[in-house]
């Protein structure tokens, strides 16, 4: 079985933007726990109804719930050739769980890429984010606007703003990142699997950095 890639970084680092493109390029699934939760909210499943208030406020969903989601998704056959995890793990408990899961399933350690961005740029990235309601393509009204206002370039879908992309929820998400997720940098550094990738500049340049890193580290 091939390795699991983990994209780490604060909200707005560009994890989703990059994971979509890199996963396509490598021919492996992009697994975003945020996307899975938002879909559950849209479909009003039990999970969605239970998680909605936390997501909207920018608080983390409980570890047991998230670990269950990740385990189920990673057990699907399309993950045999590897996968990119975006937004998971984001607590030490989740990272411990993933470590055990990968050991049990004979996959070994993940390759962890931390996307470094300055905190100042994150607010503008998040308040300007718009996402296609049908294909999930990600835009930014300030930095990467669609050709036609509110409409996806790729499939003509309606662009929407995430409920947690308001200043109050963003502050809560950044606090959750500092308190619960940033300790993962040390966690993975101690395991010798952490690599930093500069997340500034044009998205295409960052994709190149990520791909060249993955290729030189013989990921697949
Ligand atoms: P999640 O969906 O994972 O959100 P997040 O971690 O806050 O990350 P974002 O999606 O906001 O940022 P991103 O790094 O993907 O940035 P993007 O590429 O979109 O989680 C949402 C919620 O779900 C959580 O708050 C929590 O409640 C729950 N949850 C999910 N996973 C969980 C877990 N494991 N445990 C507990 N709870 C969990 O880019 C952002 C913007 O910047 C876009 O507009 C984009 O166009 C723009 N941009 C990207 N790159 C560039 C660039 N190079 N230059 C200029 N603009 C750029």
């Amino acid at each position: 079985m091939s390795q699991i890639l983990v994209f780490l970084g604060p909200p707005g680092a560009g994890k989703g933007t990059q994971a979509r493109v890199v996963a396509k390029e490598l021919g492996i699934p992009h697994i975003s726990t945020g996307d899975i939760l938002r879909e559950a909210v849209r479909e009003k499943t039990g999970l969605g109804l239970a998680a909605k208030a936390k997501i909207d406020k920018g608080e983390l969903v409980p570890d047991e719930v998230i670990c269950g989601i990740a385990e189920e998704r990673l057990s699907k056959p399309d993950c045999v050739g590897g996968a990119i995890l975006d937004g998971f793990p984001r607590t030490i408990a989740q990272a411990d769980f993933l470590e055990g899961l990968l050991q049990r399933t004979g996959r070994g350690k993940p390759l962890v890429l931390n996307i470094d961005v300055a905190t100042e740029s994150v607010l503008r990235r998040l308040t300007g984010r718009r996402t296609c309601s049908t294909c999930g393509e990600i835009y930014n009204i300030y930095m990467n606007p669609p050709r036609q206002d509110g409409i996806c370039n790729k499939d003509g879908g309606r662009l929407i703003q995430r409920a947690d992309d308001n200043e109050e929820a963003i502050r809560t998400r950044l606090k959750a990142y500092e308190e619960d997720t940033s300790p993962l940098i040390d966690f993975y550094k101690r395991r010798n699997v952490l690599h930093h990738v500069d997340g500034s500049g044009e998205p295409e340049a960052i994709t190149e950095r990520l791909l060249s890193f993955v290729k030189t580290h013989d990921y697949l």
Side-chain angles (χ1 to χ4, degrees):
M1 276 195 199
S2 292
Q3 226 177 351
I4 296 298
L5 277 174
V6 172
F7 282 10
L8 268 188
K15 303 180 296 294
T17 301
Q18 295 300 332
R20 286 170 68 80
V21 185
V22 173
K24 201 167 167 195
E25 187 68 30
L26 299 176
I28 56 175
H30 162 209
I31 300 176
S32 155
T33 42
D35 285 349
I36 293 171
L37 289 168
R38 281 184 289 278
E39 194 183 333
V41 170
R42 271 194 303 278
E43 290 179 356
K44 299 192 169 64
T45 64
L47 166 68
L49 294 172
K52 186 177 183 328
K54 287 214 174 282
I55 299 170
D56 288 355
K57 279 192 260 173
E59 293 170 5
L60 294 184
V61 170
D63 289 332
E64 321 77 79
V65 175
I66 292 291
C67 290
I69 292 174
E71 180 168 19
E72 191 190 334
R73 182 63 188 88
L74 279 168
S75 70
K76 299 226 162 116
D78 62 340
C79 295
V80 166
I84 298 182
L85 295 179
D86 154 19
F88 176 85
R90 61 214 259 171
T91 63
I92 295 287
Q94 292 178 20
D96 279 333
F97 177 85
L98 178 65
E99 193 166 70
L101 177 67
L102 297 182
Q103 269 164 15
R104 281 200 306 282
T105 51
R107 285 182 185 267
K109 292 177 186 173
L111 180 62
V112 181
L113 300 178
N114 191 63
I115 304 180
D116 294 317
V117 283
T119 324
E120 307 84 78
S121 57
V122 158
L123 196 64
R124 196 168 158 81
R125 284 190 181 192
L126 293 176
T127 51
R129 171 168 49 194
R130 300 293 182 274
T131 310
C132 177
S133 53
T134 51
C135 75
E137 187 69 13
I138 303 166
Y139 296 88
N140 191 286
I141 55 169
Y142 308 118
M143 292 168 280
N144 169 32
R147 282 192 293 275
Q148 196 184 338
D149 239 12
I151 305 288
C152 178
N153 295 345
K154 296 224 160 142
D155 66 356
R158 193 171 56 89
L159 301 188
I160 51 172
Q161 183 169 27
R162 270 172 45 175
D164 59 347
D165 276 346
N166 60 75
E167 288 202 22
E168 198 181 337
I170 291 169
R171 263 197 300 277
T172 308
R173 286 158 61 201
L174 289 170
K175 189 162 171 274
Y177 171 78
E178 280 310 321
E179 288 174 1
D180 298 309
T181 309
S182 66
L184 295 185
I185 294 178
D186 260 358
F187 178 96
Y188 284 122
K189 206 189 279 174
R190 282 200 302 275
R191 282 156 179 78
N192 283 322
V193 293
L194 180 88
H195 304 273
H196 290 274
V197 175
D198 178 7
S200 62
E202 292 297 317
E204 296 74 18
I206 300 160
T207 306
E208 275 312 304
R209 278 172 219 147
L210 289 163
L211 280 173
S212 86
F213 184 88
V214 167
K215 285 173 185 163
T216 51
H217 283 73
D218 209 14
Y219 162 70
L220 288 177

